[in-house]
Coordinates of all heavy atoms in Angstrom, one line a residue:
M1 N -18.3 -8.1 19.7 CA -17.7 -8.5 18.4 C -16.2 -8.5 18.7 O -15.6 -7.6 19.3 CB -18.0 -7.4 17.4 CG -17.3 -7.6 16.1 SD -17.5 -6.4 14.8 CE -18.9 -5.5 15.2
K2 N -15.5 -9.5 18.2 CA -14.1 -9.7 18.3 C -13.3 -8.7 17.3 O -13.7 -8.6 16.2 CB -13.7 -11.1 18.0 CG -12.2 -11.4 18.3 CD -11.9 -12.8 18.0 CE -10.4 -13.1 18.2 NZ -10.0 -14.4 18.0
R3 N -12.3 -8.1 17.8 CA -11.5 -7.1 17.0 C -10.6 -7.9 16.1 O -10.1 -8.9 16.5 CB -10.8 -6.2 17.9 CG -11.7 -5.3 18.8 CD -10.8 -4.5 19.6 NE -10.7 -3.2 18.9 CZ -9.9 -2.2 19.4 NH1 -9.3 -2.3 20.5 NH2 -9.9 -1.1 18.7
A4 N -10.5 -7.4 14.9 CA -9.6 -8.0 13.9 C -8.1 -8.0 14.4 O -7.7 -7.0 14.9 CB -9.7 -7.4 12.6
T5 N -7.4 -9.1 14.2 CA -6.0 -9.1 14.5 C -5.2 -9.1 13.3 O -4.0 -9.0 13.3 CB -5.7 -10.4 15.4 OG1 -6.1 -11.6 14.6 CG2 -6.4 -10.4 16.7
E6 N -5.8 -9.3 12.1 CA -5.1 -9.2 10.9 C -6.0 -8.5 9.8 O -7.2 -8.7 9.8 CB -4.8 -10.7 10.4 CG -4.1 -10.7 9.0 CD -3.8 -12.1 8.6 OE1 -3.0 -12.8 9.3 OE2 -4.3 -12.6 7.6
V7 N -5.3 -7.7 9.0 CA -6.0 -7.0 8.0 C -5.3 -7.3 6.7 O -4.1 -7.3 6.6 CB -6.0 -5.5 8.3 CG1 -6.6 -4.7 7.1 CG2 -6.8 -5.2 9.5
E8 N -6.1 -7.6 5.6 CA -5.6 -7.7 4.3 C -5.8 -6.4 3.6 O -6.8 -5.8 3.6 CB -6.4 -8.8 3.5 CG -5.6 -10.0 3.1 CD -6.5 -11.0 2.4 OE1 -7.7 -11.0 2.6 OE2 -5.9 -11.7 1.6
I9 N -4.7 -6.0 2.9 CA -4.8 -4.8 2.1 C -4.6 -5.2 0.6 O -3.5 -5.8 0.3 CB -3.7 -3.7 2.5 CG1 -4.0 -3.2 3.9 CG2 -3.6 -2.6 1.5 CD1 -2.9 -2.3 4.4
W10 N -5.5 -4.9 -0.2 CA -5.4 -5.1 -1.7 C -5.2 -3.7 -2.3 O -6.1 -2.8 -2.1 CB -6.7 -5.7 -2.2 CG -6.9 -7.1 -1.7 CD1 -7.4 -7.5 -0.5 CD2 -6.6 -8.3 -2.4 NE1 -7.4 -8.8 -0.4 CE2 -6.9 -9.4 -1.5 CE3 -6.1 -8.6 -3.6 CZ2 -6.8 -10.7 -1.9 CZ3 -5.9 -10.0 -4.0 CH2 -6.3 -11.0 -3.1
A11 N -4.1 -3.5 -3.0 CA -3.9 -2.1 -3.5 C -3.4 -2.1 -4.9 O -2.8 -3.1 -5.4 CB -2.8 -1.4 -2.6
D12 N -3.7 -1.1 -5.7 CA -3.3 -1.0 -7.1 C -3.2 0.5 -7.4 O -3.7 1.4 -6.7 CB -4.3 -1.6 -8.0 CG -3.7 -2.0 -9.3 OD1 -2.4 -1.8 -9.5 OD2 -4.4 -2.5 -10.2
G13 N -2.4 0.8 -8.4 CA -2.2 2.2 -8.9 C -1.8 2.2 -10.4 O -1.3 1.2 -10.9
A14 N -2.1 3.3 -11.1 CA -1.8 3.4 -12.5 C -1.8 4.8 -12.9 O -2.3 5.7 -12.2 CB -2.7 2.6 -13.3
C15 N -1.2 5.1 -14.0 CA -1.3 6.4 -14.6 C -1.2 6.3 -16.1 O -0.8 5.3 -16.7 CB -0.2 7.4 -14.1 SG 1.5 7.0 -14.6
L16 N -1.7 7.3 -16.8 CA -1.7 7.4 -18.3 C -0.6 8.3 -18.6 O -0.6 9.5 -18.5 CB -3.1 8.0 -18.7 CG -3.3 8.0 -20.2 CD1 -3.2 6.6 -20.8 CD2 -4.6 8.6 -20.5
G17 N 0.5 7.7 -19.2 CA 1.7 8.4 -19.4 C 2.6 8.3 -18.2 O 2.1 7.8 -17.1
N18 N 3.8 8.7 -18.2 CA 4.7 8.5 -17.1 C 5.7 9.6 -17.1 O 6.8 9.4 -17.6 CB 5.3 7.1 -17.1 CG 5.7 6.6 -15.7 OD1 5.2 7.2 -14.7 ND2 6.5 5.6 -15.7
P19 N 5.5 10.8 -16.6 CA 4.3 11.1 -15.7 C 3.1 11.5 -16.6 O 3.1 11.7 -17.8 CB 4.8 12.4 -15.0 CG 5.8 13.1 -15.9 CD 6.4 12.0 -16.7
G20 N 2.0 11.4 -15.8 CA 0.7 11.7 -16.4 C -0.4 11.6 -15.3 O -0.1 11.5 -14.2
P21 N -1.7 11.8 -15.7 CA -2.7 11.6 -14.7 C -2.8 10.2 -14.2 O -2.7 9.3 -15.0 CB -4.0 12.1 -15.5 CG -3.6 11.8 -16.9 CD -2.2 12.0 -17.1
G22 N -3.0 10.1 -12.9 CA -3.0 8.7 -12.3 C -3.9 8.6 -11.1 O -4.5 9.6 -10.6
G23 N -4.1 7.4 -10.7 CA -4.9 7.1 -9.6 C -4.5 5.9 -8.8 O -3.7 5.1 -9.3
W24 N -5.0 5.7 -7.6 CA -4.7 4.5 -6.8 C -6.0 4.1 -6.1 O -7.0 4.9 -5.9 CB -3.6 4.9 -5.8 CG -4.0 6.0 -4.9 CD1 -3.7 7.3 -5.1 CD2 -4.8 6.0 -3.7 NE1 -4.2 8.1 -4.1 CE2 -4.8 7.3 -3.2 CE3 -5.3 5.0 -3.0 CZ2 -5.5 7.6 -2.1 CZ3 -6.0 5.3 -1.8 CH2 -6.1 6.6 -1.4
G25 N -6.0 2.9 -5.7 CA -7.2 2.4 -4.9 C -6.7 1.3 -4.0 O -5.6 0.7 -4.2
A26 N -7.4 1.1 -2.9 CA -7.1 0.1 -1.9 C -8.3 -0.4 -1.2 O -9.3 0.4 -1.0 CB -6.1 0.7 -0.8
I27 N -8.3 -1.6 -0.8 CA -9.4 -2.2 0.0 C -8.7 -2.8 1.2 O -7.7 -3.6 1.1 CB -10.2 -3.2 -0.8 CG1 -10.8 -2.7 -2.0 CG2 -11.2 -4.0 0.1 CD1 -11.5 -3.6 -2.9
L28 N -9.2 -2.5 2.4 CA -8.8 -3.1 3.6 C -9.9 -4.1 4.0 O -11.1 -3.7 4.0 CB -8.6 -2.1 4.8 CG -7.5 -1.1 4.6 CD1 -7.9 0.1 3.7 CD2 -7.0 -0.6 6.0
R29 N -9.5 -5.3 4.3 CA -10.5 -6.4 4.6 C -10.1 -7.1 5.9 O -9.0 -7.5 6.0 CB -10.6 -7.4 3.5 CG -11.6 -8.4 3.7 CD -11.7 -9.4 2.6 NE -12.1 -8.7 1.3 CZ -11.6 -9.0 0.1 NH1 -10.8 -10.0 0.0 NH2 -12.0 -8.3 -0.9
S30 N -11.0 -7.1 6.9 CA -10.8 -7.8 8.1 C -11.3 -9.2 8.0 O -12.1 -9.5 7.1 CB -11.4 -7.1 9.3 OG -12.8 -7.1 9.1
P31 N -10.8 -10.1 8.9 CA -11.3 -11.6 8.8 C -12.8 -11.7 8.9 O -13.3 -12.7 8.4 CB -10.5 -12.2 10.0 CG -9.4 -11.3 10.2 CD -9.8 -10.0 9.9
D32 N -13.5 -10.8 9.6 CA -14.9 -10.9 9.7 C -15.7 -10.4 8.5 O -16.9 -10.3 8.5 CB -15.4 -10.3 11.0 CG -15.2 -8.8 11.0 OD1 -14.8 -8.2 10.0 OD2 -15.4 -8.1 12.0
G33 N -14.9 -10.0 7.5 CA -15.6 -9.6 6.2 C -15.8 -8.1 6.1 O -16.2 -7.6 5.0
R34 N -15.5 -7.3 7.1 CA -15.7 -5.8 7.0 C -14.6 -5.3 6.0 O -13.5 -5.8 6.0 CB -15.5 -5.2 8.3 CG -16.6 -5.4 9.3 CD -16.4 -4.7 10.6 NE -15.3 -5.3 11.2 CZ -14.4 -4.7 12.1 NH1 -14.7 -3.4 12.3 NH2 -13.4 -5.3 12.6
E35 N -15.0 -4.4 5.2 CA -14.2 -3.8 4.2 C -14.2 -2.3 4.2 O -15.3 -1.7 4.5 CB -14.5 -4.2 2.8 CG -14.3 -5.7 2.5 CD -14.5 -6.1 1.1 OE1 -15.0 -5.3 0.3 OE2 -14.2 -7.2 0.7
K36 N -13.1 -1.7 3.9 CA -13.1 -0.2 3.7 C -12.4 0.1 2.4 O -11.3 -0.5 2.1 CB -12.3 0.4 4.8 CG -12.2 1.9 4.8 CD -11.5 2.5 6.0 CE -11.7 4.0 6.0 NZ -11.3 4.6 7.2
E37 N -13.0 0.9 1.5 CA -12.4 1.2 0.2 C -11.8 2.6 0.3 O -12.5 3.5 0.8 CB -13.5 1.1 -0.8 CG -14.0 -0.3 -1.1 CD -15.0 -0.3 -2.2 OE1 -15.0 0.5 -3.1 OE2 -15.8 -1.3 -2.2
L38 N -10.7 2.8 -0.3 CA -10.0 4.1 -0.4 C -9.5 4.3 -1.8 O -9.2 3.4 -2.5 CB -8.8 4.1 0.6 CG -9.0 3.8 2.0 CD1 -7.7 3.5 2.7 CD2 -9.8 4.9 2.7
S39 N -9.5 5.6 -2.3 CA -9.0 5.9 -3.6 C -8.7 7.3 -3.7 O -9.0 8.2 -2.9 CB -10.1 5.5 -4.7 OG -11.2 6.3 -4.5
G40 N -7.9 7.6 -4.7 CA -7.5 9.0 -4.9 C -6.7 9.1 -6.2 O -6.5 8.1 -6.9
G41 N -6.3 10.3 -6.6 CA -5.5 10.4 -7.8 C -4.8 11.8 -7.9 O -5.0 12.6 -7.0
E42 N -4.0 11.9 -8.9 CA -3.3 13.2 -9.1 C -3.2 13.5 -10.6 O -3.2 12.6 -11.4 CB -1.9 13.1 -8.5 CG -2.0 12.9 -7.0 CD -0.6 13.1 -6.3 OE1 0.3 13.6 -6.9 OE2 -0.5 12.6 -5.1
P43 N -3.2 14.8 -10.9 CA -3.1 15.1 -12.3 C -1.8 14.8 -13.0 O -1.8 14.6 -14.2 CB -3.4 16.6 -12.4 CG -3.0 17.1 -11.0 CD -3.3 15.9 -10.1
K44 N -0.7 14.8 -12.3 CA 0.6 14.6 -12.9 C 1.5 13.7 -11.9 O 1.9 14.2 -10.9 CB 1.3 15.9 -13.2 CG 2.6 15.7 -14.1 CD 3.1 17.0 -14.6 CE 4.3 16.7 -15.5 NZ 4.9 17.9 -16.0
T45 N 1.6 12.5 -12.2 CA 2.3 11.6 -11.3 C 3.0 10.5 -12.1 O 3.0 10.4 -13.3 CB 1.3 11.0 -10.3 OG1 2.0 10.3 -9.3 CG2 0.2 10.1 -10.9
T46 N 3.5 9.5 -11.4 CA 4.1 8.3 -12.0 C 3.4 7.0 -11.6 O 2.7 7.0 -10.6 CB 5.6 8.2 -11.7 OG1 5.7 7.9 -10.3 CG2 6.4 9.4 -12.1
N47 N 3.5 6.0 -12.4 CA 2.9 4.7 -12.1 C 3.4 4.2 -10.7 O 2.6 3.8 -9.9 CB 3.2 3.7 -13.2 CG 2.4 2.5 -13.0 OD1 1.2 2.5 -13.1 ND2 3.0 1.4 -12.6
N48 N 4.7 4.2 -10.5 CA 5.3 3.6 -9.3 C 4.8 4.4 -8.1 O 4.4 3.8 -7.0 CB 6.8 3.7 -9.3 CG 7.4 2.6 -10.1 OD1 6.7 1.6 -10.5 ND2 8.7 2.7 -10.4
R49 N 4.7 5.7 -8.2 CA 4.1 6.5 -7.1 C 2.7 6.1 -6.7 O 2.3 6.0 -5.6 CB 4.2 8.0 -7.4 CG 3.9 8.9 -6.3 CD 4.3 10.3 -6.5 NE 4.1 11.1 -5.3 CZ 2.9 11.7 -5.0 NH1 1.9 11.6 -5.8 NH2 2.8 12.4 -3.9
M50 N 1.9 5.9 -7.7 CA 0.5 5.6 -7.5 C 0.4 4.2 -6.9 O -0.4 3.9 -6.0 CB -0.4 5.6 -8.8 CG -0.5 7.0 -9.3 SD -1.5 8.1 -8.2 CE -0.2 8.9 -7.3
E51 N 1.2 3.2 -7.3 CA 1.3 1.9 -6.8 C 1.6 2.0 -5.3 O 1.0 1.3 -4.4 CB 2.3 1.0 -7.5 CG 2.0 0.7 -8.9 CD 1.0 -0.4 -9.1 OE1 0.4 -0.9 -8.1 OE2 0.8 -0.8 -10.3
L52 N 2.7 2.7 -4.9 CA 3.1 2.9 -3.5 C 2.0 3.6 -2.7 O 1.8 3.2 -1.6 CB 4.4 3.6 -3.5 CG 5.6 2.9 -3.8 CD1 6.8 3.8 -3.8 CD2 5.9 1.7 -2.9
L53 N 1.4 4.6 -3.3 CA 0.5 5.5 -2.5 C -0.7 4.7 -2.1 O -1.2 4.9 -1.0 CB 0.1 6.7 -3.3 CG -0.4 7.9 -2.5 CD1 0.5 8.3 -1.4 CD2 -0.7 9.1 -3.4
G54 N -1.2 3.8 -2.9 CA -2.3 2.9 -2.5 C -2.0 2.2 -1.2 O -2.9 2.1 -0.3
V55 N -0.8 1.6 -1.1 CA -0.5 0.9 0.1 C -0.2 1.8 1.3 O -0.7 1.5 2.4 CB 0.8 0.0 -0.2 CG1 1.3 -0.7 1.1 CG2 0.6 -1.0 -1.3
I56 N 0.5 2.9 1.0 CA 0.8 3.8 2.1 C -0.5 4.4 2.7 O -0.7 4.4 4.0 CB 1.7 5.0 1.6 CG1 3.1 4.4 1.3 CG2 1.7 6.1 2.6 CD1 3.9 5.4 0.5
V57 N -1.4 4.8 1.9 CA -2.7 5.4 2.4 C -3.5 4.3 3.2 O -4.1 4.6 4.2 CB -3.5 6.1 1.3 CG1 -4.9 6.5 1.9 CG2 -2.8 7.2 0.8
A58 N -3.5 3.1 2.7 CA -4.2 2.0 3.4 C -3.5 1.8 4.7 O -4.3 1.6 5.8 CB -4.2 0.8 2.6
L59 N -2.2 1.8 4.8 CA -1.5 1.6 6.1 C -1.9 2.7 7.1 O -2.1 2.5 8.3 CB -0.1 1.4 5.9 CG 0.4 0.1 5.2 CD1 1.9 0.2 4.9 CD2 0.2 -1.1 6.1
E60 N -1.9 3.9 6.5 CA -2.2 5.1 7.4 C -3.6 5.1 7.9 O -3.9 5.6 8.9 CB -2.0 6.4 6.6 CG -0.5 6.7 6.3 CD -0.3 7.9 5.5 OE1 -1.3 8.3 4.7 OE2 0.8 8.5 5.5
A61 N -4.5 4.3 7.2 CA -5.9 4.3 7.7 C -6.1 3.3 8.8 O -7.2 3.3 9.5 CB -6.8 3.8 6.5
L62 N -5.2 2.5 9.1 CA -5.3 1.5 10.3 C -5.3 2.3 11.6 O -4.5 3.3 11.8 CB -4.1 0.6 10.3 CG -4.0 -0.3 9.1 CD1 -2.7 -1.1 9.1 CD2 -5.2 -1.3 9.0
K63 N -6.2 2.0 12.4 CA -6.4 2.7 13.7 C -5.7 2.2 14.9 O -5.6 2.8 15.9 CB -7.9 2.8 14.0 CG -8.7 3.5 12.9 CD -10.1 3.9 13.4 CE -11.0 4.5 12.5 NZ -10.5 5.2 11.4
R64 N -5.1 0.9 14.7 CA -4.3 0.4 15.8 C -3.4 -0.7 15.2 O -3.6 -1.1 14.1 CB -5.2 -0.3 16.8 CG -6.1 -1.4 16.3 CD -7.1 -1.9 17.4 NE -7.9 -2.9 16.8 CZ -7.6 -4.2 16.7 NH1 -6.4 -4.6 17.1 NH2 -8.4 -5.1 16.2
P65 N -2.4 -1.1 16.0 CA -1.5 -2.1 15.4 C -2.2 -3.4 15.2 O -2.9 -4.0 16.0 CB -0.4 -2.2 16.5 CG -0.6 -1.0 17.3 CD -2.0 -0.6 17.2
V66 N -2.0 -4.0 14.0 CA -2.5 -5.3 13.6 C -1.5 -5.9 12.6 O -0.7 -5.2 12.0 CB -3.9 -5.2 12.9 CG1 -5.0 -4.8 13.9 CG2 -3.9 -4.4 11.7
K67 N -1.6 -7.2 12.5 CA -0.8 -7.9 11.4 C -1.4 -7.5 10.1 O -2.7 -7.5 9.9 CB -0.8 -9.4 11.6 CG -0.1 -10.1 10.6 CD -0.1 -11.6 10.8 CE 0.6 -12.3 9.7 NZ 0.4 -13.8 9.8
V68 N -0.6 -7.2 9.1 CA -1.1 -6.8 7.8 C -0.5 -7.7 6.7 O 0.7 -8.0 6.7 CB -0.7 -5.3 7.5 CG1 -1.1 -4.9 6.1 CG2 -1.3 -4.4 8.5
V69 N -1.4 -8.1 5.8 CA -1.0 -8.8 4.6 C -1.3 -7.9 3.4 O -2.4 -7.5 3.2 CB -1.7 -10.2 4.4 CG1 -1.3 -10.9 3.2 CG2 -1.4 -11.1 5.6
V70 N -0.2 -7.5 2.7 CA -0.4 -6.6 1.5 C -0.5 -7.5 0.3 O 0.4 -8.3 0.0 CB 0.7 -5.6 1.5 CG1 0.6 -4.7 0.2 CG2 0.7 -4.7 2.7
R71 N -1.5 -7.2 -0.5 CA -1.6 -7.9 -1.9 C -1.5 -6.8 -2.9 O -2.2 -5.8 -2.9 CB -3.0 -8.6 -2.0 CG -3.4 -9.4 -0.8 CD -2.8 -10.8 -0.9 NE -3.3 -11.6 0.1 CZ -2.8 -12.7 0.6 NH1 -1.6 -13.1 0.0 NH2 -3.3 -13.4 1.5
S72 N -0.6 -7.1 -3.9 CA -0.4 -6.1 -5.0 C 0.2 -6.9 -6.2 O 0.9 -7.8 -6.0 CB 0.6 -5.1 -4.5 OG 1.0 -4.2 -5.6
D73 N -0.2 -6.4 -7.4 CA 0.4 -7.0 -8.6 C 1.6 -6.2 -9.0 O 2.2 -6.5 -10.0 CB -0.6 -7.0 -9.7 CG -1.1 -5.6 -10.2 OD1 -0.7 -4.6 -9.5 OD2 -1.8 -5.5 -11.2
S74 N 2.0 -5.3 -8.2 CA 3.2 -4.4 -8.5 C 4.5 -5.0 -8.0 O 4.6 -5.1 -6.8 CB 3.0 -3.0 -7.9 OG 4.2 -2.3 -8.0
Q75 N 5.4 -5.4 -8.9 CA 6.7 -5.8 -8.4 C 7.5 -4.7 -7.7 O 8.2 -5.0 -6.8 CB 7.5 -6.4 -9.6 CG 7.0 -7.7 -10.1 CD 7.1 -8.8 -9.1 OE1 8.1 -9.0 -8.5 NE2 5.9 -9.4 -8.7
Y76 N 7.2 -3.5 -8.1 CA 7.9 -2.4 -7.4 C 7.4 -2.3 -5.9 O 8.3 -2.2 -5.0 CB 7.5 -1.1 -8.1 CG 8.2 0.1 -7.6 CD1 9.6 0.3 -7.9 CD2 7.6 1.1 -6.8 CE1 10.3 1.4 -7.4 CE2 8.3 2.2 -6.4 CZ 9.6 2.4 -6.6 OH 10.3 3.5 -6.2
V77 N 6.2 -2.5 -5.6 CA 5.7 -2.6 -4.2 C 6.2 -3.8 -3.5 O 6.8 -3.7 -2.4 CB 4.1 -2.5 -4.2 CG1 3.6 -2.8 -2.8 CG2 3.7 -1.2 -4.7
V78 N 6.0 -5.0 -4.1 CA 6.4 -6.2 -3.5 C 7.9 -6.3 -3.2 O 8.3 -6.6 -2.1 CB 5.9 -7.4 -4.4 CG1 6.4 -8.7 -3.8 CG2 4.4 -7.5 -4.5
R79 N 8.7 -6.0 -4.2 CA 10.1 -6.1 -4.0 C 10.6 -4.9 -3.1 O 11.6 -5.1 -2.4 CB 10.9 -6.1 -5.3 CG 10.5 -7.3 -6.1 CD 11.3 -7.4 -7.4 NE 12.6 -7.8 -7.2 CZ 13.6 -7.7 -8.1 NH1 13.3 -7.3 -9.3 NH2 14.8 -8.0 -7.8
G80 N 9.9 -3.8 -3.2 CA 10.3 -2.6 -2.3 C 10.1 -3.0 -0.9 O 11.0 -2.7 0.0
M81 N 9.0 -3.7 -0.5 CA 8.8 -4.1 0.9 C 9.7 -5.3 1.3 O 10.0 -5.4 2.5 CB 7.3 -4.5 1.1 CG 6.4 -3.4 0.9 SD 4.7 -3.9 1.4 CE 4.4 -5.3 0.3
S82 N 10.0 -6.2 0.4 CA 10.7 -7.4 0.8 C 12.2 -7.4 0.5 O 13.0 -8.0 1.2 CB 10.1 -8.6 0.1 OG 10.2 -8.4 -1.4
E83 N 12.7 -6.6 -0.5 CA 14.1 -6.6 -0.9 C 14.8 -5.3 -0.8 O 15.9 -5.2 -0.4 CB 14.2 -7.1 -2.3 CG 13.7 -8.5 -2.5 CD 13.8 -8.9 -4.0 OE1 14.7 -8.4 -4.7 OE2 12.9 -9.7 -4.4
W84 N 14.2 -4.2 -1.2 CA 14.9 -2.9 -1.4 C 14.8 -2.0 -0.2 O 15.5 -1.0 -0.1 CB 14.3 -2.2 -2.6 CG 14.4 -3.0 -3.9 CD1 15.3 -4.0 -4.2 CD2 13.5 -2.9 -5.0 NE1 15.1 -4.5 -5.4 CE2 14.0 -3.8 -6.0 CE3 12.5 -2.1 -5.3 CZ2 13.4 -4.0 -7.2 CZ3 11.8 -2.3 -6.5 CH2 12.3 -3.2 -7.4
I85 N 13.9 -2.2 0.7 CA 13.6 -1.3 1.8 C 14.8 -0.9 2.6 O 15.0 0.3 2.9 CB 12.4 -1.7 2.7 CG1 11.9 -0.5 3.5 CG2 12.8 -2.9 3.5 CD1 10.6 -0.7 4.1
D86 N 15.7 -1.9 2.9 CA 16.9 -1.5 3.7 C 17.8 -0.6 2.9 O 18.3 0.4 3.6 CB 17.6 -2.8 4.1 CG 16.8 -3.7 5.1 OD1 16.1 -3.1 5.9 OD2 17.0 -4.9 5.1
G87 N 18.0 -0.8 1.7 CA 18.8 0.1 0.8 C 18.2 1.5 0.7 O 18.9 2.5 0.8
W88 N 16.8 1.6 0.6 CA 16.2 2.8 0.5 C 16.4 3.6 1.9 O 16.7 4.8 1.9 CB 14.7 2.7 0.3 CG 14.3 2.2 -1.0 CD1 15.0 2.2 -2.1 CD2 13.0 1.7 -1.4 NE1 14.3 1.8 -3.2 CE2 13.0 1.5 -2.8 CE3 11.8 1.5 -0.7 CZ2 12.0 1.0 -3.5 CZ3 10.7 1.0 -1.5 CH2 10.8 0.7 -2.8
R89 N 16.3 2.9 3.0 CA 16.5 3.6 4.3 C 18.0 4.1 4.4 O 18.2 5.1 4.9 CB 16.2 2.7 5.4 CG 14.7 2.5 5.6 CD 14.4 1.6 6.8 NE 12.9 1.5 7.0 CZ 12.3 0.5 7.5 NH1 12.9 -0.6 7.8 NH2 11.0 0.5 7.6
R90 N 18.9 3.3 4.0 CA 20.4 3.7 4.0 C 20.6 4.9 3.2 O 21.5 5.7 3.5 CB 21.2 2.5 3.5 CG 21.5 1.5 4.5 CD 22.7 0.5 4.1 NE 22.4 -0.2 2.9 CZ 21.8 -1.3 2.8 NH1 21.3 -1.9 3.9 NH2 21.6 -1.9 1.6
K91 N 19.8 5.1 2.2 CA 19.9 6.3 1.3 C 19.1 7.5 1.8 O 19.0 8.5 1.1 CB 19.5 5.9 -0.1 CG 20.5 5.0 -0.8 CD 20.0 4.6 -2.1 CE 20.9 3.5 -2.7 NZ 20.4 2.9 -3.9
G92 N 18.5 7.4 3.0 CA 17.8 8.5 3.6 C 16.3 8.5 3.4 O 15.6 9.3 3.9
W93 N 15.7 7.5 2.7 CA 14.2 7.4 2.6 C 13.7 7.0 4.0 O 14.2 6.2 4.7 CB 13.8 6.3 1.6 CG 12.4 6.1 1.5 CD1 11.5 6.9 0.7 CD2 11.6 5.1 2.1 NE1 10.2 6.4 0.9 CE2 10.2 5.3 1.7 CE3 11.8 4.1 3.0 CZ2 9.2 4.6 2.1 CZ3 10.8 3.3 3.4 CH2 9.5 3.6 3.0
R94 N 12.6 7.7 4.4 CA 12.0 7.4 5.6 C 10.5 6.9 5.4 O 9.8 7.6 4.7 CB 12.0 8.6 6.5 CG 13.4 9.0 6.9 CD 13.3 10.2 7.8 NE 12.6 11.2 7.2 CZ 12.6 12.5 7.6 NH1 13.2 12.8 8.7 NH2 11.9 13.4 7.0
G95 N 10.2 5.9 6.1 CA 8.8 5.3 5.9 C 7.9 5.7 7.0 O 8.3 6.3 8.0

């Protein structure tokens, strides 16, 4: 079996109230159709934190370096990865 060279990550998160109880979910999908589902939650959190955590946990689940395509409906996640990450790092955030 050929090993996947690209993985798609579909992630989402939400909470009831802000802060409030929340959860996140992610699906990792390889080109051959294999999927892994991940999920979790916290009793007191924020929506943005749950959106980010879904992606972070999915990335941590990867067992080796591969190309990753992240799919998210969260502008916080999308813009964070594409526009804001350099500024976050300059301010001391570590990924």
Side-chain angles (χ1 to χ4, degrees):
M1 177 184 342
K2 186 176 177 182
R3 298 178 92 183
T5 57
E6 180 177 294
V7 172
E8 241 182 333
I9 293 175
W10 295 78
D12 201 5
C15 70
L16 185 60
N18 209 16
W24 57 268
I27 298 174
L28 291 84
R29 183 179 300 144
S30 65
D32 64 6
R34 288 181 296 151
E35 291 186 353
K36 181 174 188 169
E37 294 183 22
L38 304 167
S39 62
E42 297 193 15
K44 190 170 184 182
T45 189
T46 65
N47 189 69
N48 285 345
R49 186 165 187 274
M50 292 295 94
E51 294 279 8
L52 285 172
L53 201 53
V55 175
I56 290 168
V57 172
L59 291 169
E60 289 175 340
L62 297 172
K63 298 197 182 335
R64 61 186 179 79
V66 293
K67 180 180 175 186
V68 175
V69 176
V70 175
R71 310 279 187 200
S72 173
D73 65 352
S74 167
Q75 287 299 305
Y76 188 72
V77 169
V78 172
R79 294 182 76 191
M81 291 186 308
S82 62
E83 298 175 31
W84 304 330
I85 194 161
D86 292 332
W88 288 347
R89 286 183 175 148
R90 279 193 300 275
K91 293 175 184 173
W93 178 84
R94 294 181 305 191

